[in-house]
Amino acid sequence: MYGAIADQTQTNPGDGHVISVRGAVVDVRFGGTLPPINDALSVRWDNAAPLILEVQSHLDPCTLRAVGFQSTAGLARGVRVTPTGGPVRVPVGPAVLGRLLDMVGDLRDDGPPLPVDTPRRSIHAAPPALRDQTRTTSVFETGIKIIDLLTPMAQGGKAAMFGGAGVGKTVLVMELIRAMVEGYDGISVFAGVGERSREGHELLTEMQASGVLDRTVLVYGQMNEPPGARWRVPMTALTISEYFRDTRHQNVLLLMDNVFRFVQAGAEVSSLLGRLPSRVGYQPTLATEVAALQERIASVAGSSVTAIQAVYVPADDFTDPAVTTISSHMDCVIVLSRSQAAEGFYPAIDPLASSSMLLDPQVVGDDHYNTAEAVRRVLARFRELGDIISLLGIEELGQTDRLIVVRARRLQRFLTQPFMVTEAFTGLPGARVTLADTLSGCRAILDGAADDWDESALYMVGTLADAQAKNAKAAATEKVSA
């Protein structure tokens, strides 16, 4: 066998051969110059499709260590490895719109092949220079009341939704996709990092049914794929986004679910590469890897990439190193609360823990800022009174505090909202609410307009007018039954 290897390397001096396979990590020996870090290698073996590796480190002048983007099951020592001459290059441009791709750019939707002249770009790129970046203070209206009121998103900014398991991150991302793409004239790119197959299929069928797939690109690295594929999926999605931003000068909405899986895959790769772990077992390169991804999300020459990212919080620990590292790059931080979800307040966003850099009177205006601050004050005071109410009852409070409790409870319910993507499960038609309607509704509740209404009339409605109609209907029904 080794004689055959020698013959191969003599015939093709630039090729190498596999000398070790440990899961997703493959060691390759070359007879000449080693390919640079991050270059792609192609392995022609018994499988129909070639195995793609990416160089991660040089062990000695003749040996390198690489990570596989597909399963290495069945790969034997001695198999020939061919350098590709550069990093992984993925298809970009209008041809990929409406298509589902994997991390290396192969189609996974059983559709027709891409045209042969489809341009390709390397997944590794430097972020735009600071002098070329433009900052925007225009608000990206989502139609979701609690987000537009308390945590406004920036056009060309980075927003992240942090939450533990089962609090509604994926549902919120899917609603944002549905709501934004319908009223948004740009391109959308969705990166599914460590997604379940079921979730990917649901999103694909949802987009097909809503007619927005033709302006969307889906890039998946599923949960059952090797860590290398999950680790590089955001890079592939970002490369496609950068092409539309830089070459076609279009605004791009980049959605990622779930960025924690990107960090988790990086930790797996780091462990397989033999690096010593850092805090809580994470990779020592955690900050560098997150920065390499997040710093590429920027606005250049009037065209922007707006990123909305879901981030899993392990064991609801918001001090986790991965969570704190990711949050340091965000303009808008949306915290999903398990206690909110337990009380049935959806979206389960914590109004006091969430924040946005755009909630400033010079950006959103005095009216929006003052309304948002008044809502926060009422909700904060209500939370402070929670222990007293549970022990002694609301009757022991003073008149002012009792009024705050009444209005805070109505605000809590008004800031809930039925989603379009959950219509089949809840039976409630989804609602999109303009910022003007949200502000006017909150001001009316703060001024006491809904003090005499039944609390349930404000739960899971769109505008305050919808709540008023619901309250009137309930009152009429009660009068008839009486």
Side-chain angles (χ1 to χ4, degrees):
M1 187 168 88
Y2 289 102
I5 293 171
D7 292 339
Q8 289 175 3
T9 53
Q10 288 170 5
T11 306
N12 300 288
D15 287 355
H17 61 273
V18 175
I19 61 170
S20 174
V21 181
R22 293 184 307 283
V25 171
V26 180
D27 290 350
V28 184
R29 180 166 294 156
F30 285 84
T33 305
L34 293 178
I37 302 295
N38 290 333
D39 264 22
L41 310 174
S42 177
V43 181
R44 298 283 179 180
W45 54 329
D46 295 338
N47 290 13
L51 170 64
I52 306 299
L53 309 175
E54 185 179 82
V55 180
Q56 291 300 314
S57 62
H58 294 166
L59 302 180
D60 59 48
C62 298
T63 312
L64 59 80
R65 183 159 288 169
V67 170
F69 291 145
Q70 296 92 8
S71 173
T72 58
L75 181 63
R77 288 180 293 176
V79 175
R80 182 184 298 177
V81 180
T82 304
T84 61
V88 171
R89 298 175 64 84
V90 296
V92 295
V96 299
L97 291 174
R99 307 306 299 270
L100 190 151
L101 293 80
D102 65 9
M103 178 260 132
V104 295
D106 293 336
L107 296 174
R108 297 297 181 189
D109 55 8
D110 294 331
L114 296 174
V116 292
D117 60 346
T118 302
R120 287 180 172 265
R121 274 194 172 190
S122 165
I123 64 170
H124 295 284
L130 276 175
R131 63 176 177 273
D132 298 329
Q133 295 184 25
T134 56
R135 293 294 295 172
T136 178
T137 55
S138 58
V139 175
F140 198 78
E141 196 169 319
T142 67
I144 298 174
K145 289 181 287 188
I146 191 168
I147 291 178
D148 290 340
L149 173 68
L150 299 177
T151 58
M153 295 183 182
Q155 177 89 28
K158 294 188 280 282
M161 292 170 290
F162 295 89
V167 294
K169 295 184 300 300
T170 299
V171 171
L172 192 52
V173 167
M174 290 179 68
E175 178 67 15
L176 285 166
I177 293 171
R178 176 75 177 266
M180 288 183 174
V181 172
E182 289 180 353
Y184 178 72
D185 59 358
I187 301 299
S188 295
V189 180
F190 178 81
V193 187
E195 287 283 273
R196 302 171 182 87
S197 299
R198 171 187 56 78
E199 292 172 339
H201 184 263
E202 285 177 359
L203 181 61
L204 181 61
T205 53
E206 174 75 25
M207 288 193 156
Q208 288 171 335
S210 59
V212 299
L213 187 61
D214 59 344
R215 288 187 286 117
T216 307
V217 186
L218 304 176
V219 186
Y220 275 95
Q222 294 183 162
M223 194 176 283
N224 63 336
E225 294 190 45
R230 288 180 271 121
W231 188 39
R232 292 307 193 201
V233 161
M235 301 295 191
T236 301
L238 196 48
T239 300
I240 296 170
S241 303
E242 288 170 336
Y243 177 85
F244 285 107
R245 180 194 67 191
D246 300 337
T247 305
R248 300 185 66 86
H249 305 292
Q250 292 176 281
N251 291 331
V252 180
L253 177 63
L254 174 64
L255 300 116
M256 287 192 273
D257 186 12
N258 184 307
V259 181
F260 178 79
R261 304 294 180 202
F262 159 74
V263 173
Q264 196 175 44
E268 291 179 49
V269 169
S270 179
S271 177
L272 289 168
L273 293 172
R275 297 175 185 152
L276 289 174
S278 183
R279 257 194 326 154
V280 200
Y282 285 109
Q283 60 271 42
T285 53
L286 172 64
T288 305
E289 290 175 10
V290 171
L293 174 67
Q294 301 294 345
E295 293 304 312
R296 288 172 63 180
I297 302 170
S299 301
V300 179
S303 301
S304 64
V305 175
T306 304
I308 300 173
Q309 308 169 34
V311 184
Y312 168 68
V313 179
D316 291 343
D317 179 13
F318 286 88
T319 64
D320 186 85
V323 174
T324 56
T325 302
I326 294 168
S327 63
S328 66
H329 292 271
M330 297 299 144
D331 305 316
C332 174
V333 173
I334 299 169
V335 176
L336 284 92
S337 161
R338 194 168 300 281
S339 62
Q340 292 282 104
E343 293 182 49
F345 297 138
Y346 290 101
I349 295 171
D350 188 328
L352 304 181
S354 305
S355 63
S356 170
M357 294 175 65
L358 261 69
L359 193 60
D360 185 289
Q362 294 184 340
V363 177
V364 298
D366 291 332
D367 185 34
H368 183 169
Y369 177 77
N370 292 333
T371 303
E373 286 301 297
V375 169
R376 281 188 198 268
R377 279 196 300 272
V378 169
L379 294 176
R381 180 58 181 162
F382 177 53
R383 188 171 291 183
E384 289 172 5
L385 296 170
D387 289 341
I388 297 174
I389 294 170
S390 61
L391 288 172
L392 304 176
I394 194 171
E395 294 79 11
E396 298 300 317
L397 298 177
Q399 183 63 32
T400 303
D401 283 341
R402 263 189 279 181
L403 198 58
I404 286 174
V405 170
V406 167
R407 293 175 183 175
R409 288 177 63 86
R410 281 155 177 77
L411 279 171
Q412 279 185 324
R413 283 150 182 79
F414 180 65
L415 292 176
T416 62
Q417 189 167 339
F419 282 169
M420 299 177 193
V421 297
T422 58
E423 286 179 7
F425 308 104
T426 63
L428 300 172
R432 288 196 69 195
V433 184
T434 64
L435 178 60
D437 285 339
T438 300
L439 293 175
S440 63
C442 289
R443 280 196 299 270
I445 294 171
L446 289 167
D447 292 340
D451 286 358
D452 298 328
W453 297 6
D454 187 48
E455 287 180 357
S456 61
L458 293 116
Y459 180 69
M460 284 293 172
V461 296
T463 63
L464 194 66
D466 297 334
Q468 189 174 16
K470 187 176 175 182
N471 184 66
K473 183 179 178 181
T477 304
E478 185 178 345
K479 186 176 180 181
V480 169
S481 61

